[in-house]
Amino acid sequence: MAIFFTSPLFFLIILCFSISVFHLSASPTLVLNLVHSNQIYTLQSPHVSHIKEASVERLEYVKAKATGDIIAHLSPNVPIIPQAFLVNISIGSPPVTQLLHMDTGSDLLWIQCRPCINCYAQSLPIFDPSRSYTHRNESCRTSQYSMPSLKFSAKSRSCEYSMRYMNGTGSKGILAREMLMFNTIYDESSSAALHDVVFGCGHDNYGEPLVGTGILGLGYGEFSLVHRFGTKFSYCFGSLDDPSYPHNVLVLGDDGANILGDTTPLEIYNGFYYVTIEAISVDGIILPIDPWVFNRNHQTGLGGTIMDTGISLTSLVEEAYKPLKNKIEDLFEGRFTAADVNQDDMIKVECYNGNLERDLVESGFPIVTFHFSDGAELSLDVKSVFMKLSPNVFCLAVTPGNINSIGATAQQNYNIGYDLEAKKISFERIDCGVLFDY
């Protein structure tokens, strides 16, 4: 499916970085504006079956990776909901512009490459490595945290990677190194170059991500871009409902990352970032949830709670989801009936007949709070708990699943900082615009 750009942003991001380029040294700092995906128009409108399909595939990926079950590798998924944050980069020499979905739940940066065995349609140019003089193949190696399936091909004399979902969606190609270029937020006339970045050059890509042209993996795995910038990074999201908000930002690097607010311990396992939820409250009232449902089983790898910007929705295991859903519906007091929407997957997204703005935002709805160990909290307002499906239908942005994960919708209006050396993650509710002097 083709991706069309209806904003002047499209024309801005394809400008060459020809005025001034500085080269990043060891452990640099990079501050990047994030592109809101609602500035990208697709021909197909989102509907609930697409929302759930993305959720099911993502949870299967998370479950397989968390347990170390990589018999069939799964690629990170771009949620079908057209509300996500993208990173504008250019790759190669001469540079070719790409928009990558920012994903803390996967490790590898990958894009589509020519020649295409299978490639989904994209309006931005597909990268051709044969035309870049800085491109070179990467050798095969694996580690405890490497997620892509790697094998050396004697025929092509290259390291081939394979990442796929259990439903058959995925990407195959060559593991390579390239130069990346980034626009900084401080000076639109300058850009930063980072050499020898390991990435997946995908020649056989099946499935149709509707947001962006690839994945920017910020997990802890061996190939993650995070490791090129030290041990700290942060990001700040505004409202997903406001594509014109200019201050959504990603910061990579020890000197620039914003570690603000209350912190909670961060556990790293199989490349995922885990936090420990101790309780969930609604309007200050703790829900009857046994805390054990949030614990990770260190023998099986299952359980725990993952920070995951790679999906819009938040997922809770049934023992936590049901008390939350029941409390929310009690607060509805029978005002909203169940909406008849297209639902054909294993995960049931709860949808209701009602106008989100009028019935919940303007009339007020209690705050839902995730309480973490050591006292940190993540407070979810109306638009972090619900999403508008149509003018008169809204849905719960939390789904039942086999693992707990906190998606991008729940992380709105927060600066979230990762200190990988101290193994801490911080949460600060804030207007992202106050973080920097633009």
Side-chain angles (χ1 to χ4, degrees):
M1 180 174 297
I3 301 174
F4 297 89
F5 296 80
T6 58
S7 164
L9 169 70
F10 170 70
F11 301 101
L12 292 175
I13 63 176
I14 61 175
L15 292 175
C16 293
F17 305 110
S18 57
I19 299 178
S20 175
V21 176
F22 63 91
H23 297 268
L24 296 169
S25 58
S27 298
T29 292
L30 197 61
V31 185
L32 305 171
N33 269 126
L34 296 172
V35 179
H36 193 296
S37 61
N38 275 14
Q39 294 174 312
I40 300 173
Y41 172 75
T42 62
L43 294 180
Q44 181 172 335
S45 299
H47 54 82
V48 76
S49 64
H50 286 162
I51 295 169
K52 294 195 308 172
E53 181 180 354
S55 300
V56 171
E57 294 164 3
R58 183 68 179 189
L59 292 176
E60 292 291 357
Y61 160 69
V62 168
K63 180 181 178 182
K65 188 165 183 265
T67 58
D69 179 11
I70 52 175
I71 296 174
H73 285 273
L74 313 175
S75 70
N77 179 260
V78 178
I80 302 302
I81 286 182
Q83 295 176 332
F85 294 105
L86 311 175
V87 179
N88 171 28
I89 72 160
S90 289
I91 186 168
S93 303
V96 178
T97 299
Q98 304 289 312
L99 283 172
L100 306 183
H101 188 106
M102 191 191 103
D103 184 13
T104 57
S106 66
D107 312 323
L108 183 67
L109 186 162
W110 66 266
I111 61 172
Q112 298 194 117
C113 290
R114 297 190 184 279
C116 287
I117 300 172
N118 290 295
C119 287
Y120 58 85
Q122 64 180 56
S123 291
L124 287 173
I126 294 178
F127 179 64
D128 186 345
S130 68
R131 297 186 175 184
S132 172
Y133 62 81
T134 50
H135 182 89
R136 62 187 177 91
N137 288 345
E138 173 69 351
S139 59
C140 271
R141 65 185 190 277
T142 60
S143 76
Q144 178 183 0
Y145 295 115
S146 62
M147 183 60 190
S149 173
L150 302 177
K151 68 175 182 179
F152 178 76
S153 170
K155 181 179 180 180
S156 64
R157 299 188 61 80
S158 61
C159 183
E160 297 180 347
Y161 79 90
S162 175
M163 301 178 70
R164 69 180 179 87
Y165 280 116
M166 291 179 178
N167 74 341
T169 304
S171 176
K172 296 180 181 179
I174 304 300
L175 198 67
R177 286 182 180 263
E178 255 297 2
M179 182 177 72
L180 299 188
M181 296 180 71
F182 308 86
N183 269 352
T184 67
I185 69 168
Y186 298 110
D187 185 354
E188 292 182 357
S189 67
S190 68
S191 53
L194 186 65
H195 295 267
D196 291 327
V197 176
V198 176
F199 78 108
C201 204
H203 300 286
D204 187 3
N205 309 290
Y206 32 101
E208 299 188 8
L210 300 183
V211 180
T213 62
I215 297 291
L216 176 62
L218 296 177
Y220 194 75
E222 178 182 3
F223 302 120
S224 174
L225 191 65
V226 167
H227 299 305
R228 294 291 300 271
F229 293 86
T231 61
K232 296 178 183 178
F233 71 97
S234 64
Y235 51 84
C236 192
F237 295 163
S239 171
L240 282 165
D241 271 0
D242 185 5
S244 65
Y245 182 74
H247 305 305
N248 304 306
V249 67
L250 168 66
V251 184
L252 298 167
D254 295 353
D255 293 333
N258 295 292
I259 311 299
L260 306 172
D262 294 332
T263 64
T264 188
L266 177 68
E267 182 184 8
I268 300 171
Y269 176 73
N270 268 2
F272 283 127
Y273 301 121
Y274 285 87
V275 291
T276 300
I277 298 177
E278 294 188 336
I280 298 176
S281 67
V282 179
D283 200 18
I285 300 173
I286 299 295
L287 299 179
I289 303 171
D290 194 322
W292 72 265
V293 306
F294 300 117
N295 295 337
R296 188 174 71 82
N297 187 314
H298 293 271
Q299 291 182 330
T300 66
L302 289 175
T305 302
I306 291 168
M307 299 295 297
D308 188 0
T309 64
I311 190 169
S312 292
L313 305 183
T314 290
S315 170
L316 294 174
V317 294
E318 189 70 28
E319 295 88 345
Y321 171 79
K322 187 174 291 185
L324 176 60
K325 171 182 171 291
N326 290 345
K327 180 62 176 179
I328 287 172
E329 293 187 342
D330 286 346
L331 291 168
F332 286 168
E333 297 178 332
R335 290 180 295 159
F336 311 114
T337 58
D340 184 16
V341 295
N342 180 21
Q343 304 213 31
D344 52 11
D345 292 306
M346 67 182 73
I347 290 182
K348 180 174 176 58
V349 176
E350 298 291 342
C351 296
Y352 307 91
N353 292 304
N355 183 284
L356 179 62
E357 292 287 340
R358 180 194 64 215
D359 299 329
L360 294 182
V361 176
E362 294 177 5
S363 63
F365 191 83
I367 296 293
V368 175
T369 302
F370 290 177
H371 303 269
F372 301 106
S373 58
D374 287 3
E377 295 180 349
L378 182 68
S379 295
L380 281 58
D381 60 18
V382 174
K383 292 188 176 181
S384 295
V385 178
F386 302 97
M387 58 188 176
K388 182 171 73 173
L389 191 64
S390 68
N392 293 305
V393 176
F394 64 88
C395 300
L396 191 58
V398 182
T399 66
N402 53 25
I403 195 166
N404 304 300
S405 64
I406 299 175
T409 300
Q411 300 180 46
Q412 295 179 95
N413 304 305
Y414 268 86
N415 181 84
I416 300 182
Y418 295 71
D419 187 332
L420 307 182
E421 183 176 27
K423 291 186 168 53
K424 297 281 187 179
I425 184 170
S426 67
F427 300 90
E428 176 81 350
R429 191 171 184 88
I430 197 171
D431 179 347
C432 304
V434 306
L435 293 174
F436 303 98
D437 295 325
Y438 288 86

